[in-house]
Amino acid sequence: MSKKTPRRPSSLIGFLLRWHPRLGGVVGLAIIAWGLSGLAHPIISRIQPSAAAYVYKLEPFSSAGVLTVSDAAERAGLTQSLSAVRLLAWQGRPYYRLQTAADVIWLDARSGAVIERAERDYAEFLARHYVGDQDSAVKSLSLQTEFDEDYVFVNRLLPVWRVEFERDDGMRVYVDTASDRLGTIVNNTKAATSVFFRNVHSWIFIKNDSLRLSLMTICLVGGGIIALAGILQYFLQWRAGRGWRQGRPTLKFHRLLGVSVALTAVTFTGSGLYHLWQKQFVLQSEMVAAKYFDAAQINVGWSTLNPEIVQADMVAIGNEAYFRTWYGGVLQYSNALNGKILVDGERLHALALAAQYLPTNAPVKAVRAVDSFNDEYGFVNKRLPVVAVDYERSDHLSVYVEPRSGALATVVRDADRYEGFSFAFLHKWNFIDGLGHTVRDIIAACFAAGIAATFILGMTLFLRRARRR
């Protein structure tokens, strides 16, 4: 049997000349949309509204005269079990914020009096603090328990209060009264640009998740193949003496621009595809039900613990209630029933939370306090400070929990680390952060624009040829 003769370069050039534009005609609009939205992203991020403040700092207060939870609840006539208790000072007075199965109730911590509308008033107070507006009237104030087009999943915190002001820019502020945190601020400009980006870049207009995943996968793979084929086609034509200088101006510019951005097109589409599919294999955590405790039994005496308090939050460790309390920079866990101090409480609480959310038989390798965002635990996770529980597993599982709220912040495995590295370096170009974020964004935006322009020129050439035929 004779040995098969390898394809000659001229034959391969012909194949590429036929199928490179055809494939581009199929996926071109998607690549152009991604390129233009990638170009717009740094612009969008710079025209969005900025908060006047990003942190609300609680003031310390004297524990003298502060009633126990049981005494305050008895004076207020409350008999419901409590899933959350918070002690804080607001406008110079200490208050209890109590969470029942049906409602949030505020009590004066020194008299036990019920404070009507305190939850709504505190939400408005926080919103004004974060947006820096003490004058505009409040147009609407409502509790939001799920994400929507205005308050998207990337903001993480729920439930939050939505406070909309009577302003020309339609400013609305989302705040979490359980932790004093800012969810986000949104004005009409941010809302419009968010809708544009999420539709053009993330294709949320396709409601069927499987269909959206399939179409995006096809277009990302196709875009990468086109870029690689373009590089090969250019090399073969250059070797055959038919470089970018030959042909009509549109064709010459398409070739020159294409070879300049082809490698970037491969990294953008490849990292985008990796990011898209990695999200389909996120570890699913267990649902953790809230635990309720009888208010009559929560009788820790504050003045016996410390004369000055910053804040205290009731948390559950196993089946016992503890107060996670800050005393002037010192964190302490005390039993909510008898005031007994729990040694190493933060670590024990983090271990208990991690075991609830991601049960595993693997031994614990380390427990780490995380006070700032980093490459593994990025800003997208929102919550700080958190505790990372690392396990001795082949995938190096790390479970990040927030002891203050008892929430699961995120779960990270090696697969997530690899994808995070790929997305940060190949898609967001963090490898040139040393040049400054503005320079990085300009360079990345120029390449995104170049990719979009290359496909626009390519589709123009394809349509011209189609009309001639």
Side-chain angles (χ1 to χ4, degrees):
M1 186 175 180
S2 62
K3 189 175 180 180
K4 188 176 180 180
T5 304
R7 184 189 297 272
R8 294 179 300 168
S10 58
S11 176
L12 182 55
I13 290 175
F15 176 82
L16 292 173
L17 286 173
R18 284 193 304 275
W19 290 104
H20 176 78
R22 293 177 183 178
L23 184 56
V26 173
V27 303
L29 285 178
I31 304 300
I32 292 168
W34 280 324
L36 294 178
S37 55
L39 167 64
H41 186 265
I43 300 172
I44 290 172
S45 65
R46 282 163 173 77
I47 64 174
Q48 290 183 355
S50 298
Y54 290 93
V55 176
Y56 173 65
K57 186 177 180 181
L58 291 170
E59 296 297 326
F61 61 95
S62 171
S63 62
V66 175
L67 300 171
T68 64
V69 174
S70 59
D71 287 343
E74 183 180 4
R75 293 190 187 189
L78 300 180
T79 58
Q80 301 99 314
S81 294
L82 306 175
S83 62
V85 176
R86 188 174 184 221
L87 176 61
L88 74 158
W90 175 37
Q91 297 177 334
R93 288 194 63 83
Y95 294 94
Y96 281 118
R97 182 185 183 274
L98 310 178
Q99 176 78 59
T100 69
D103 202 2
V104 173
I105 303 167
W106 285 64
L107 304 180
D108 186 302
R110 290 200 172 107
S111 69
V114 177
I115 311 300
E116 301 293 343
R117 285 187 54 87
E119 179 76 350
R120 299 173 69 89
D121 290 343
Y122 192 56
E124 180 182 336
F125 167 80
L126 289 173
R128 291 189 183 279
H129 167 77
Y130 283 118
V131 81
D133 186 341
Q134 302 299 323
D135 302 317
S136 299
V138 172
K139 182 178 181 180
S140 66
L141 196 155
S142 58
L143 184 65
Q144 184 147 341
T145 57
E146 58 185 28
F147 300 108
D148 59 17
E149 290 293 314
D150 206 50
Y151 185 72
V152 296
F153 174 75
V154 72
N155 295 301
R156 296 295 196 271
L157 304 177
L158 277 181
V160 290
W161 284 92
R162 182 185 188 273
V163 185
E164 183 175 0
F165 291 98
E166 285 277 8
R167 293 178 22 163
D168 293 338
D169 62 358
M171 180 64 71
R172 45 266 196 201
V173 186
Y174 295 85
V175 293
D176 175 19
T177 52
S179 63
D180 314 314
R181 281 184 292 206
L182 173 66
T184 192
I185 62 173
V186 181
N187 62 6
N188 294 336
T189 299
K190 181 176 180 179
T193 54
S194 176
V195 169
F196 163 78
F197 188 81
R198 296 177 70 233
N199 276 280
V200 176
H201 206 81
S202 303
W203 296 11
I204 62 167
F205 62 89
I206 302 176
K207 302 304 180 183
N208 185 293
D209 292 341
S210 298
L211 176 61
R212 182 170 62 248
L213 176 65
S214 299
L215 291 176
M216 293 182 84
T217 298
I218 291 170
C219 292
L220 286 167
V221 172
I225 291 174
I226 289 170
L228 291 172
I231 295 174
L232 178 59
Q233 181 178 325
Y234 177 84
F235 170 75
L236 293 175
Q237 288 185 296
W238 169 80
R239 195 173 66 171
R242 296 161 56 192
W244 67 268
R245 292 182 178 83
Q246 295 185 4
R248 294 180 177 180
T250 304
L251 178 59
K252 290 193 292 184
F253 190 47
H254 171 71
R255 287 174 177 170
L256 176 61
L257 190 58
V259 78
S260 301
V261 301
L263 184 59
T264 306
V266 173
T267 60
F268 276 160
T269 55
S271 57
L273 182 65
Y274 192 5
H275 180 70
L276 180 68
W277 274 94
Q278 180 60 29
K279 291 193 297 184
Q280 313 306 313
F281 300 100
V282 174
L283 275 181
Q284 297 300 313
S285 62
E286 298 289 332
M287 295 294 294
V288 178
K291 294 186 178 180
Y292 290 84
F293 299 92
D294 186 354
Q297 296 181 350
I298 306 173
N299 51 21
V300 62
W302 298 106
S303 59
T304 62
L305 295 178
N306 200 286
E308 193 174 78
I309 299 172
V310 177
Q311 66 175 325
D313 298 279
M314 188 179 75
V315 299
I317 303 179
N319 293 318
E320 293 192 76
Y322 290 87
F323 275 106
R324 183 180 183 272
T325 310
W326 283 101
Y327 300 100
V330 178
L331 178 63
Q332 182 175 284
Y333 278 70
S334 54
N335 191 289
L337 308 186
N338 54 36
K340 184 178 179 181
I341 304 302
L342 179 65
V343 178
D344 208 11
E346 185 87 331
R347 181 177 183 276
L348 295 174
H349 188 201
L351 288 170
L353 288 172
Q356 285 179 300
Y357 284 114
L358 266 299
T360 177
N361 294 324
V364 173
K365 180 180 179 181
V367 179
R368 300 176 284 120
V370 179
D371 299 317
S372 60
F373 297 114
N374 52 48
D375 290 341
E376 179 170 298
Y377 185 76
F379 177 75
V380 69
N381 296 298
K382 293 290 184 179
R383 300 177 184 275
L384 277 181
V386 294
V387 177
V389 180
D390 303 327
Y391 291 95
E392 289 277 8
R393 294 190 0 167
S394 59
D395 60 358
H396 301 102
L397 173 69
S398 294
V399 181
Y400 287 80
V401 294
E402 184 182 45
R404 178 183 180 181
S405 64
L408 173 67
T410 193
V411 177
V412 180
R413 303 157 297 164
D414 283 342
D416 305 305
R417 294 183 181 95
Y418 300 149
E419 188 281 319
F421 178 86
S422 163
F423 197 74
F425 282 78
L426 300 180
H427 209 86
K428 300 178 72 174
W429 285 35
N430 287 1
F431 65 90
I432 56 173
D433 278 352
L435 300 176
H437 288 182
T438 299
V439 175
R440 178 202 66 191
D441 289 346
I442 290 173
I443 294 174
C446 286
F447 274 96
I451 293 169
T454 301
F455 274 84
I456 290 172
L457 292 171
M459 292 193 70
T460 300
L461 292 167
F462 175 72
L463 292 174
R464 283 179 182 175
R465 289 169 186 166
R467 281 200 302 268
R468 285 200 300 268
R469 293 192 184 113

